[in-house]
Amino acid sequence: MQIFQKVEGIRSALHEAQLKGKKIGFVPTMGNLHQGHLELIKLAQKTNDIVVCSIFVNGLQFGLHEDWDQYPRTFEEDCKKLADVSCDMLFHPDENQMYPNGLDSQTRVICSSMTDYLCGASRPGHFEGVTTVVSKLLNIIKPHELVLGRKDYQQMAILYRMIEDLCFPVRIIEAEIHREVDGLAMSSRNVYLSALERQNASQLYKSLSWVAGKIRLGDRNFIALEKEAADQIKKAGFQPDYISICNSRTLEMATIDDCDIAVLGAMYSSAARLIDNISLH
Ligand code: PAF
């Protein structure tokens, strides 16, 4: 696997590949890779000649009191995992490469819808950081396909919108959520859970599954379902942030006529904020 730290380095390597007509797949990450990330690489390999992964813990998408400092940085292990799945290229820039004029004066990409509610309500500015860094990465890598995990459902929906609105010539490939045996969605932040919290952390998935099951059976009392699921999470010892039954595309509150529904949830443990979702068609 070739590793690049400089924008110019990866650009010229990919330029060669593009001239030869190679198809490029891209998997952006913040590192601390788990099986879920490796599945994204494998998915990208199915339809592309060259797969590029990026590892960059993007300061712009963390709030002041969030976990940017503690975010697990495991570069050596990540490189080994990527080499084991035959990832072709890794882009691992530092902050100077990504934000040469400083974070504060960085030009931003703002998506005017879908960013203020759900996760955006508790993490102001977060999605602006995501859309800005992903735009930059797309301009650097110029991939044909961008592979995103469905676990970050709102992020994915916003990136669809950004790509459409700004005419990025890239196609999104969606990857299923990769789960632990008990249903907990794999996440780099699961390492923050205490042993006791880890035992009960699949409650978020259980409650979302419970809601999905009720909707499948015809229950359309969405507000009551959201409240009951939040109560289940409280009883399991976590603080629910939100449980929302949404239209899958706009992420606005679902109406009783909506056919494509996503049930999204977020909850706090003592040191982690976990998210998950289930789609219903
Ligand atoms: O999902 C993530 O890991 C990040 O939000 C992303 C897309 C790599 C942007 O920093």
Side-chain angles (χ1 to χ4, degrees), residues 28-30 37 56 58 61 126 130 133-134 148 152 155 159:
T29 81
M30 297 204 298
H37 292 113
F56 178 61
N58 175 33
Q61 69 187 72
H126 166 67
V130 172
V133 80
V134 173
L148 298 171
D152 297 298
Q155 166 172 286
L159 290 175

Side-chain angles (χ1 to χ4, degrees), residues 83-101:
D84 285 349
V85 294
S86 307
C87 180
D88 300 293
M89 294 184 185
L90 170 61
F91 181 46
H92 179 53
D94 64 13
E95 205 157 286
N96 273 334
Q97 280 295 303
M98 289 306 283
Y99 300 120
N101 298 313

Side-chain angles (χ1 to χ4, degrees), residues 229-247:
D231 287 345
Q232 292 171 5
I233 286 169
K234 269 188 219 150
K235 277 192 202 121
F238 299 95
Q239 181 56 40
D241 182 6
Y242 65 81
I243 301 287
S244 279
I245 302 169
C246 309
N247 173 288

Side-chain angles (χ1 to χ4, degrees), residues 93-157:
D94 64 13
E95 205 157 286
N96 273 334
Q97 280 295 303
M98 289 306 283
Y99 300 120
N101 298 313
L103 279 189
D104 292 342
S105 57
Q106 169 62 41
T107 302
R108 315 275 174 124
V109 175
I110 298 169
C111 192
S112 61
S113 63
M114 287 189 283
T115 50
D116 297 339
Y117 43 88
L118 304 171
C119 288
S122 357
R123 305 189 68 190
H126 166 67
F127 288 116
E128 187 177 315
V130 172
T131 44
T132 300
V133 80
V134 173
S135 300
K136 294 193 65 139
L137 290 166
L138 291 176
N139 282 332
I140 295 166
I141 311 286
K142 296 191 169 49
H144 299 85
E145 293 187 344
L146 169 66
V147 183
L148 298 171
R150 283 208 183 118
K151 197 199 116 231
D152 297 298
Y153 194 93
Q154 187 175 12
Q155 166 172 286
M156 190 179 71

